[in-house]
Protein backbone atom coordinates (compact mmCIF):
# COMPACT_ATOMS: atom_id res chain seq x y z
CA UNK A 1 0.00 0.00 0.00
CA UNK A 2 1.29 3.47 -0.90
CA UNK A 3 2.17 5.43 2.22
CA UNK A 4 3.75 8.70 3.33
CA UNK A 5 5.13 9.27 6.84
CA UNK A 6 6.39 12.62 8.06
CA UNK A 7 8.59 13.21 11.10
CA UNK A 8 8.71 14.77 13.53
CA UNK A 9 5.06 15.64 14.08
CA UNK A 10 6.12 18.93 15.65
CA UNK A 11 9.40 20.80 15.76
CA UNK A 12 10.32 23.84 17.80
CA UNK A 13 13.35 25.87 16.78
CA UNK A 14 15.00 29.06 17.87
CA UNK A 15 15.41 31.69 15.22
CA UNK A 16 18.59 30.88 13.29
CA UNK A 17 18.67 27.23 14.38
CA UNK A 18 18.83 25.13 11.21
CA UNK A 19 17.13 21.73 11.01
CA UNK A 20 15.48 19.23 8.67
CA UNK A 21 12.04 17.71 8.25
CA UNK A 22 11.69 14.15 7.00
CA UNK A 23 9.23 12.55 4.58
CA UNK A 24 9.49 8.78 4.15
CA UNK A 25 7.47 7.09 1.46
CA UNK A 26 6.61 3.72 0.00
CA UNK A 27 5.03 3.91 -3.42
CA UNK A 28 4.87 1.76 -6.52
CA UNK A 29 7.03 3.82 -8.83
CA UNK A 30 7.42 7.41 -7.73
CA UNK A 31 6.22 9.89 -10.31
CA UNK A 32 6.70 12.99 -8.18
CA UNK A 33 7.14 14.19 -4.59
CA UNK A 34 5.61 17.49 -3.54
CA UNK A 35 6.21 19.80 -0.59
CA UNK A 36 3.59 22.26 0.65
CA UNK A 37 3.45 24.89 3.37
CA UNK A 38 0.18 25.42 5.25
CA UNK A 39 -0.55 28.35 7.53
CA UNK A 40 -3.33 28.04 10.15
CA UNK A 41 -6.79 28.36 8.62
CA UNK A 42 -5.41 28.48 5.06
CA UNK A 43 -5.04 26.05 2.19
CA UNK A 44 -1.65 24.44 1.49
CA UNK A 45 0.74 26.49 -0.62
CA UNK A 46 2.85 24.65 -3.18
CA UNK A 47 6.62 24.82 -2.60
CA UNK A 48 8.49 22.19 -4.64
CA UNK A 49 8.21 19.18 -6.89
CA UNK A 50 10.99 16.57 -6.97
CA UNK A 51 11.02 13.83 -9.58
CA UNK A 52 14.10 11.68 -9.17
CA UNK A 53 16.63 10.62 -6.55
CA UNK A 54 19.45 13.13 -6.17
CA UNK A 55 17.34 16.07 -7.23
CA UNK A 56 17.39 19.25 -5.11
CA UNK A 57 15.26 22.39 -5.16
CA UNK A 58 15.78 25.64 -3.22
CA UNK A 59 13.62 28.59 -2.29
CA UNK A 60 14.91 31.21 0.11
CA UNK A 61 15.77 29.38 3.37
CA UNK A 62 14.27 26.08 2.21
CA UNK A 63 15.97 23.27 0.34
CA UNK A 64 14.27 20.00 -0.59
CA UNK A 65 16.19 16.84 -1.42
CA UNK A 66 15.09 13.40 -2.59
CA UNK A 67 16.41 9.86 -2.23
CA UNK A 68 14.79 6.58 -3.27
CA UNK A 69 13.04 6.23 0.09
CA UNK A 70 12.70 9.69 1.57
CA UNK A 71 12.80 13.41 1.13
CA UNK A 72 14.18 16.08 3.42
CA UNK A 73 13.15 19.69 3.75
CA UNK A 74 16.16 21.56 5.11
CA UNK A 75 15.51 24.91 6.78
CA UNK A 76 18.56 27.13 7.10
CA UNK A 77 18.61 29.92 9.69
CA UNK A 78 14.81 29.91 10.08
CA UNK A 79 12.83 33.01 10.97
CA UNK A 80 9.54 33.23 12.90
CA UNK A 81 7.68 33.72 9.61
CA UNK A 82 8.74 30.20 8.59
CA UNK A 83 6.40 28.85 11.28
CA UNK A 84 3.77 26.70 9.55
CA UNK A 85 2.81 23.09 8.92
CA UNK A 86 4.81 21.50 6.13
CA UNK A 87 3.11 18.76 4.12
CA UNK A 88 4.68 16.15 1.88
CA UNK A 89 2.80 14.27 -0.85
CA UNK A 90 3.71 11.60 -3.40
CA UNK A 91 2.27 10.64 -6.73
CA UNK A 92 2.54 7.02 -7.80
CA UNK A 93 3.87 6.10 -11.20
CA UNK A 94 0.76 4.16 -12.12
CA UNK A 95 -2.46 5.96 -12.83
CA UNK A 96 -5.03 3.23 -12.80
CA UNK A 97 -8.41 4.54 -11.82
CA UNK A 98 -7.07 7.19 -9.46
CA UNK A 99 -5.73 9.58 -12.11
CA UNK A 100 -2.40 9.76 -10.32
CA UNK A 101 -3.87 11.36 -7.23
CA UNK A 102 -1.54 12.58 -4.50
CA UNK A 103 -1.05 10.77 -1.21
CA UNK A 104 -0.38 13.20 1.64
CA UNK A 105 1.49 12.80 4.89
CA UNK A 106 0.07 14.24 8.11
CA UNK A 107 2.58 17.08 8.18
CA UNK A 108 5.20 18.55 10.48
CA UNK A 109 4.20 21.58 12.51
CA UNK A 110 7.18 23.93 12.70
CA UNK A 111 7.40 26.70 15.29
CA UNK A 112 10.27 29.17 15.16
CA UNK A 113 10.72 31.35 18.23
CA UNK A 114 12.47 34.71 18.08
CA UNK B 1 -2.08 33.80 -13.76
CA UNK B 2 -4.43 31.24 -12.31
CA UNK B 3 -6.47 31.78 -9.16
CA UNK B 4 -8.84 29.60 -7.21
CA UNK B 5 -11.77 30.93 -5.20
CA UNK B 6 -13.58 29.00 -2.54
CA UNK B 7 -16.49 30.15 -0.41
CA UNK B 8 -17.71 30.59 2.18
CA UNK B 9 -14.68 30.71 4.47
CA UNK B 10 -16.64 29.53 7.49
CA UNK B 11 -20.02 27.90 7.86
CA UNK B 12 -22.08 26.71 10.81
CA UNK B 13 -24.98 24.45 9.93
CA UNK B 14 -27.41 22.36 11.99
CA UNK B 15 -27.58 18.60 11.64
CA UNK B 16 -29.95 17.59 8.84
CA UNK B 17 -29.56 20.81 6.88
CA UNK B 18 -28.31 20.88 3.26
CA UNK B 19 -24.84 21.97 2.20
CA UNK B 20 -23.41 23.66 -0.86
CA UNK B 21 -19.77 24.71 -1.11
CA UNK B 22 -18.55 26.32 -4.29
CA UNK B 23 -15.16 26.53 -5.93
CA UNK B 24 -14.15 28.31 -9.11
CA UNK B 25 -10.84 28.52 -10.95
CA UNK B 26 -9.79 31.42 -13.14
CA UNK B 27 -7.09 31.73 -15.76
CA UNK B 28 -7.08 28.19 -17.09
CA UNK B 29 -9.31 25.84 -19.02
CA UNK B 30 -10.25 22.20 -18.44
CA UNK B 31 -8.48 21.91 -15.10
CA UNK B 32 -8.54 18.77 -12.98
CA UNK B 33 -10.57 19.67 -9.86
CA UNK B 34 -10.52 18.15 -6.38
CA UNK B 35 -12.33 18.26 -3.05
CA UNK B 36 -10.37 17.32 0.07
CA UNK B 37 -11.28 17.20 3.73
CA UNK B 38 -8.68 17.87 6.38
CA UNK B 39 -9.22 16.65 9.93
CA UNK B 40 -6.83 17.30 12.79
CA UNK B 41 -4.26 14.54 13.05
CA UNK B 42 -5.59 12.72 9.99
CA UNK B 43 -4.12 14.59 7.08
CA UNK B 44 -5.75 15.38 3.78
CA UNK B 45 -8.44 12.98 2.59
CA UNK B 46 -9.43 13.06 -1.06
CA UNK B 47 -13.21 13.12 -1.42
CA UNK B 48 -13.92 13.74 -5.12
CA UNK B 49 -12.08 14.60 -8.29
CA UNK B 50 -13.12 15.61 -11.77
CA UNK B 51 -11.22 15.63 -15.05
CA UNK B 52 -14.01 17.27 -17.04
CA UNK B 53 -17.53 18.68 -17.03
CA UNK B 54 -19.98 16.16 -15.63
CA UNK B 55 -17.20 13.67 -14.81
CA UNK B 56 -17.02 13.01 -11.07
CA UNK B 57 -15.09 10.27 -9.27
CA UNK B 58 -15.59 9.51 -5.61
CA UNK B 59 -12.76 8.20 -3.47
CA UNK B 60 -14.71 7.33 -0.32
CA UNK B 61 -18.37 6.53 0.33
CA UNK B 62 -20.00 9.24 2.41
CA UNK B 63 -22.85 11.64 2.94
CA UNK B 64 -21.51 14.07 0.34
CA UNK B 65 -21.72 14.50 -3.41
CA UNK B 66 -19.96 16.67 -5.97
CA UNK B 67 -20.90 18.23 -9.28
CA UNK B 68 -19.11 20.10 -12.03
CA UNK B 69 -21.73 22.10 -13.93
CA UNK B 70 -19.17 24.26 -15.75
CA UNK B 71 -15.56 23.80 -16.82
CA UNK B 72 -14.08 25.78 -13.93
CA UNK B 73 -16.73 25.29 -11.27
CA UNK B 74 -16.82 22.52 -8.70
CA UNK B 75 -19.53 22.15 -6.08
CA UNK B 76 -19.63 20.00 -2.95
CA UNK B 77 -23.10 19.20 -1.63
CA UNK B 78 -25.04 17.29 0.93
CA UNK B 79 -28.78 16.81 1.32
CA UNK B 80 -28.60 16.25 5.08
CA UNK B 81 -25.53 17.06 7.12
CA UNK B 82 -24.23 14.80 9.87
CA UNK B 83 -22.13 15.82 12.86
CA UNK B 84 -19.28 13.81 11.35
CA UNK B 85 -19.27 16.09 8.29
CA UNK B 86 -17.62 18.84 10.33
CA UNK B 87 -14.15 19.67 9.10
CA UNK B 88 -11.96 21.82 6.89
CA UNK B 89 -12.86 21.43 3.22
CA UNK B 90 -10.35 22.30 0.54
CA UNK B 91 -10.82 22.68 -3.18
CA UNK B 92 -7.80 22.24 -5.43
CA UNK B 93 -6.94 22.27 -9.10
CA UNK B 94 -4.13 21.18 -11.34
CA UNK B 95 -3.46 21.61 -15.04
CA UNK B 96 -3.09 17.89 -15.66
CA UNK B 97 -2.13 14.78 -13.73
CA UNK B 98 1.59 15.60 -14.07
CA UNK B 99 1.28 19.04 -12.47
CA UNK B 100 1.25 20.06 -8.79
CA UNK B 101 -2.02 20.74 -6.98
CA UNK B 102 -2.97 24.29 -6.07
CA UNK B 103 -5.38 24.79 -3.20
CA UNK B 104 -8.03 27.31 -2.26
CA UNK B 105 -8.17 28.77 1.22
CA UNK B 106 -10.73 26.29 2.46
CA UNK B 107 -14.09 26.30 4.22
CA UNK B 108 -14.33 25.55 7.93
CA UNK B 109 -17.63 23.68 8.35
CA UNK B 110 -19.09 23.14 11.78
CA UNK B 111 -22.20 20.97 12.04
CA UNK B 112 -24.08 21.55 15.29
Amino acid sequence: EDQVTQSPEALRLQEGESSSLNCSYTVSGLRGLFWYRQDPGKGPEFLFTLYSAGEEKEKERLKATLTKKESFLHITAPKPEDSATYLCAVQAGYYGGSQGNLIFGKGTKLSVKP
Amino acid sequence: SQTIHQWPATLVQPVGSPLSLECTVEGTSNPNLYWYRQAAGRGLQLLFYSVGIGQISSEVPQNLSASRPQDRQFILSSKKLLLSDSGFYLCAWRRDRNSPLHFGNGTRLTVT
Side-chain angles (χ1 to χ4, degrees):
Chain A
E1 181 184 351
D2 299 332
Q3 198 169 6
V4 178
T5 303
Q6 290 188 247
S7 62
E9 290 185 11
L11 180 63
R12 292 186 176 187
L13 300 174
Q14 288 296 126
E15 185 172 1
E17 180 186 3
S18 301
S19 188
S20 296
L21 311 182
N22 178 264
C23 172
S24 299
Y25 63 89
T26 54
V27 66
S28 301
L30 180 71
R31 192 166 188 90
L33 186 141
F34 304 83
W35 281 99
Y36 288 84
R37 169 193 169 124
Q38 186 174 22
D39 293 306
K42 301 291 186 182
E45 175 190 353
F46 170 68
L47 293 173
F48 306 109
T49 308
L50 301 167
Y51 294 103
S52 57
E55 187 175 2
E56 298 183 353
K57 293 272 182 75
E58 286 190 65
K59 181 179 180 179
E60 296 181 355
R61 294 175 293 282
L62 301 176
K63 182 169 82 172
T65 61
L66 181 65
T67 72
K68 290 186 178 180
K69 294 184 178 180
E70 57 192 348
S71 176
F72 292 95
L73 185 64
H74 306 279
I75 304 176
T76 302
K79 298 182 178 181
E81 53 261 43
D82 294 322
S83 297
T85 295
Y86 291 86
L87 301 173
C88 170
V90 298
Q91 181 176 20
Y94 61 92
Y95 291 129
S98 68
Q99 294 292 315
N101 295 325
L102 301 190
I103 303 163
F104 282 85
K106 294 182 180 180
T108 294
K109 184 175 182 180
L110 174 66
S111 299
V112 182
K113 302 299 181 184
Chain B
S1 63
Q2 299 82 22
T3 56
I4 179 169
H5 302 280
Q6 191 179 342
W7 66 92
T10 60
L11 191 60
V12 180
Q13 293 283 96
V15 169
S17 64
L19 172 74
S20 181
L21 302 181
E22 190 165 341
C23 171
T24 59
V25 180
E26 296 178 355
T28 188
S29 60
N30 197 31
N32 292 354
L33 296 173
Y34 301 80
W35 279 111
Y36 282 86
R37 179 166 56 204
Q38 188 175 36
R42 296 190 61 185
L44 282 161
Q45 180 188 33
L46 179 61
L47 302 176
F48 300 95
Y49 66 93
S50 171
V51 298
I53 295 174
Q55 300 179 56
I56 308 294
S57 296
S58 173
E59 285 292 293
V60 293
Q62 58 212 323
N63 185 43
L64 302 169
S65 62
S67 61
R68 184 171 178 173
Q70 300 181 41
D71 182 43
R72 292 169 291 168
Q73 183 184 31
F74 206 23
I75 297 173
L76 183 68
S77 305
S78 174
K79 292 182 180 179
K80 290 185 178 182
L81 284 168
L82 306 172
L83 286 174
S84 57
D85 291 324
S86 293
F88 191 49
Y89 289 84
L90 289 158
C91 181
W93 76 277
R94 61 179 177 178
R95 195 179 311 277
D96 53 52
R97 59 189 184 185
N98 296 315
S99 303
L101 278 174
H102 299 279
F103 289 86
N105 275 329
T107 295
R108 173 71 61 190
L109 172 65
T110 304
V111 182
T112 61

